[in-house]
Amino acid sequence: MADTLQFCAYTTFGDLADYPIFCLHAFPLKGSMLYSVAQQLSLEGYYVIVPDLRGFGASPISPEPVEMAQMADDILSIADECQLDRFAIAGLSMGGYVALALWKSAPARCSHLLLIDTRAGADTEKGRQSREDTAQIALVNGVDAVAQQMIPRLLSEFTVQHNPATVAAVRAMINGNTPYGIASASRGMALRPDSTPLLPEIDIPTLVCVGEQDIITNIEEAQHMAQAIPQAQLTVIPKAGHLTAIDAPATLTVAMASFMRNTKQ
Ligand code: MLT
């Protein structure tokens, strides 16, 4: 079912009576990158809400940098609209930054965190410069230039070399966004604070997942994050690159569903 709010568009999968889980997408994609995972999770008995984060897909675009805390507020607005008091929150990469921001602002609303191909640290100075470069590429050269530059880093080498249909689908998802939306989110990511000091305070079940071949975040970063969170478990998704939800959706869903099943709701 597709629905639109004043601030954010979202699609739901499954039965409203089932346990709710938000799934938040990566940069510079949109909610549809998670539809395969969401569909499979709904068959496992979860009510899955997949938003287009602000600036992406069918959601509104802001000319200003969009901070992760703003995106987290958008998720809370959807939860209020759907009358969801408590829910699990899964975020992939940029979606993970938003999940951490959401836990920071409304910990009582979060029952589980699933941090996928993401990190807790802020950007370095070089990282912030590269966010600005990405924003400029989007605004000056267009969205497809961003897609071409990022795809080899987003997907596993195997997918890039042997799965042209998947590469084309990811490129089309990126090209469905606007230069302004991409630039605002890129600049917003550069402003995110270091969430590392929060990690020991996370007192809910947490799954940290990372693609074995992720070169944007990596296994070491995921290990540090999992070690710092008291109730965290770490799962490495074999043969997957950064976008595990696209390189290995079935394996990722099994990891998410078994984590949810084995932890209190
Ligand atoms: C993402 O996949 O959301 C981005 O690669 C995150 C980032 O660049 O830090």
Side-chain angles (χ1 to χ4, degrees), residues 224-242:
H224 286 146
M225 204 158 52
Q227 277 160 9
I229 301 172
Q231 298 180 51
Q233 70 183 62
L234 173 70
T235 299
V236 177
I237 307 294
K239 298 183 186 160
H242 181 60

Side-chain angles (χ1 to χ4, degrees), residues 25-29 33 92-97 116-119 123 130-131 134 150 153-154 186 189 192 214 216-217 242-243:
H25 65 83
F27 174 90
L29 288 103
M33 69 158 285
L92 196 150
S93 201
M94 179 181 72
Y97 307 156
I116 305 163
D117 312 309
T118 194
R119 62 165 70 83
D123 286 346
S130 139
R131 302 280 186 209
T134 301
M150 287 194 72
R153 291 167 52 77
L154 294 173
S186 193
M189 284 193 288
R192 74 187 193 286
D214 186 345
I216 293 183
T217 60
H242 181 60
L243 298 185

Side-chain angles (χ1 to χ4, degrees), residues 86-118:
R86 223 159 167 251
F87 43 81
I89 177 120
L92 196 150
S93 201
M94 179 181 72
Y97 307 156
V98 179
L100 285 168
L102 202 157
W103 187 84
K104 185 178 176 186
S105 76
R109 307 284 299 270
C110 307
S111 63
H112 301 70
L113 269 180
L114 295 87
L115 301 171
I116 305 163
D117 312 309
T118 194

Side-chain angles (χ1 to χ4, degrees), residues 12 60 95 106 136 254 259:
T12 62
Q136 290 298 334
V254 167
F259 162 74

Side-chain angles (χ1 to χ4, degrees), residues 8-75:
C8 233
Y10 61 96
T11 302
T12 62
F13 297 80
D15 188 336
L16 184 55
D18 285 337
Y19 198 79
I21 175 166
F22 278 88
C23 289
L24 311 183
H25 65 83
F27 174 90
L29 288 103
K30 53 184 175 172
S32 55
M33 69 158 285
L34 293 167
Y35 285 178
S36 164
V37 167
Q39 200 115 40
Q40 293 176 62
L41 276 178
S42 73
L43 298 176
E44 296 279 339
Y46 295 96
Y47 179 61
V48 190
I49 309 105
V50 185
D52 286 336
L53 294 169
R54 190 180 283 247
F56 297 93
S59 286
I61 295 151
S62 149
E64 307 298 329
V66 178
E67 296 208 36
M68 304 298 101
Q70 171 66 66
M71 291 185 182
D73 280 352
D74 290 338
I75 303 307

